Amino acid sequence: NKRIIIAIDGPAASGKSTTARKVAEQLGYTYIDTGAMFRSVTLKTLERGMIDTVRSSPETIVSLLQDLTITFSDERVILDGRDVTSAIRENRVSRDVSFISSLGPVRDRLREMQQEMGRSRGVVMDGRDIGTVVFPDAELKIFLIADARERAKRRYAELAAKGASGSELPDIASLEQEIVERDRADAGRTLAPLKKHPDAVEIDTSALSIEEQVVMVRDLALAIL
Ligand code: C5P
């Protein structure tokens, strides 16, 4: 059995991470959530009180990248030695992550880390530019899309299930607006914009269950293994 790279790209909340995690589990592959890496850099910028500085002088971001380490261990995200799994999901991070991920030095650094993580293949990696930029040679490229309203509803259910309330549980309409704005920023940026690779298989998950989308992706993988 050869070990391949499965790249799963698509807009916010389209079911990439759930699908990628389960497909990886079934194939015995490693799952890598690249959105969590961009979120980690954003969290670090916020925690260092650097966000305004970086907004006015984007080159200052390099000082935060020098000692940056991000690792994944048992579904946990470890930023500079600290577990940030829940902190990177906070609203303030979601609000600023598209800006931070538009910066060249951030993308360069994370791309290197991602390519290293996939060096021995056998990975399912999800993000926005995995099939187009990080692993254009990925044997299987998937582009997941879904209706924005449907994505907002799923995100709402996910937050509610986690016990979120108050300001951590916005209504469906605000979630939809946030999702649409983030997609616009991610698709409109100059560097590695959100875009379907011509070879990617597009799957609309609006009317699919998680189980159904996992089976579709897994079967596509099995067909080339
Ligand atoms: O996947 P998730 O929604 O957690 O990603 C958060 C943000 O990180 C995206 O909105 C995008 O700005 C950025 N991102 C990126 N390239 C990737 C993965 C995520 O620019 N490969």
Side-chain angles (χ1 to χ4, degrees):
N1 252 6
K2 63 176 180 197
R3 289 169 68 77
I4 64 168
I5 290 182
I6 303 175
I8 304 186
D9 292 304
S14 54
K16 300 185 299 295
S17 59
T18 312
T19 306
R21 179 176 292 114
K22 295 199 175 196
V23 169
E25 212 174 86
Q26 295 186 8
L27 297 176
Y29 277 22
T30 305
Y31 164 55
I32 297 162
D33 175 357
T34 66
M37 301 172 78
F38 288 92
R39 288 173 176 275
S40 294
V41 176
T42 306
L43 179 69
K44 181 166 179 168
T45 311
L46 289 164
E47 287 183 335
R48 295 277 179 95
M50 289 273 294
I51 192 77
D52 293 333
T53 310
V54 175
R55 278 195 184 278
S56 48
S57 313
E59 70 283 359
T60 56
I61 192 74
V62 299
S63 66
L64 296 184
L65 298 175
Q66 266 144 21
D67 60 349
L68 178 76
T69 63
I70 300 169
T71 54
F72 294 95
S73 140
D74 298 327
E75 313 261 299
R76 312 303 295 175
V77 185
I78 313 296
L79 164 67
D80 299 335
R82 183 169 60 101
D83 187 333
V84 295
T85 314
S86 40
I88 59 170
R89 302 290 155 196
E90 287 169 17
N91 267 331
R92 58 179 184 145
V93 174
S94 303
R95 266 196 308 272
D96 284 324
V97 67
S98 288
F99 163 63
I100 293 297
S101 51
S102 71
L103 305 173
V106 174
R107 301 212 71 86
D108 290 347
R109 183 64 198 284
L110 295 190
R111 187 182 58 247
E112 273 168 30
M113 293 169 68
Q114 290 153 9
Q115 287 171 340
E116 179 56 31
M117 290 171 175
R119 205 167 43 88
S120 43
R121 307 188 92 79
V123 300
V124 184
M125 199 174 277
D126 84 6
R128 302 293 186 288
D129 63 339
I130 310 308
T132 50
V133 173
V134 181
F135 284 110
D137 65 341
E139 290 84 350
L140 178 59
K141 301 183 180 74
I142 303 288
F143 198 77
L144 283 192
I145 58 163
D147 174 70
R149 189 73 182 184
E150 185 56 36
R151 289 186 279 139
K153 285 185 192 162
R154 289 181 191 167
R155 182 52 56 86
Y156 184 89
E158 202 177 276
L159 288 169
K162 269 196 273 175
S165 62
S167 69
E168 287 301 319
L169 187 60
D171 58 34
I172 292 173
S174 345
L175 284 169
E176 182 178 351
Q177 193 187 344
E178 188 229 292
I179 283 172
V180 168
E181 274 167 19
R182 196 141 57 86
D183 289 346
R184 192 178 301 136
D186 292 339
R189 70 182 174 221
T190 318
L191 300 171
L194 166 67
K195 191 170 70 191
K196 178 186 170 297
H197 186 286
D199 297 343
V201 180
E202 181 169 293
I203 302 175
D204 185 337
T205 69
S206 303
L208 296 181
S209 69
I210 289 168
E211 206 37 59
E212 289 169 324
Q213 63 207 51
V214 169
V215 167
M216 284 178 80
V217 176
R218 189 203 53 203
D219 287 353
L220 285 166
L222 291 176
I224 52 180
L225 281 181

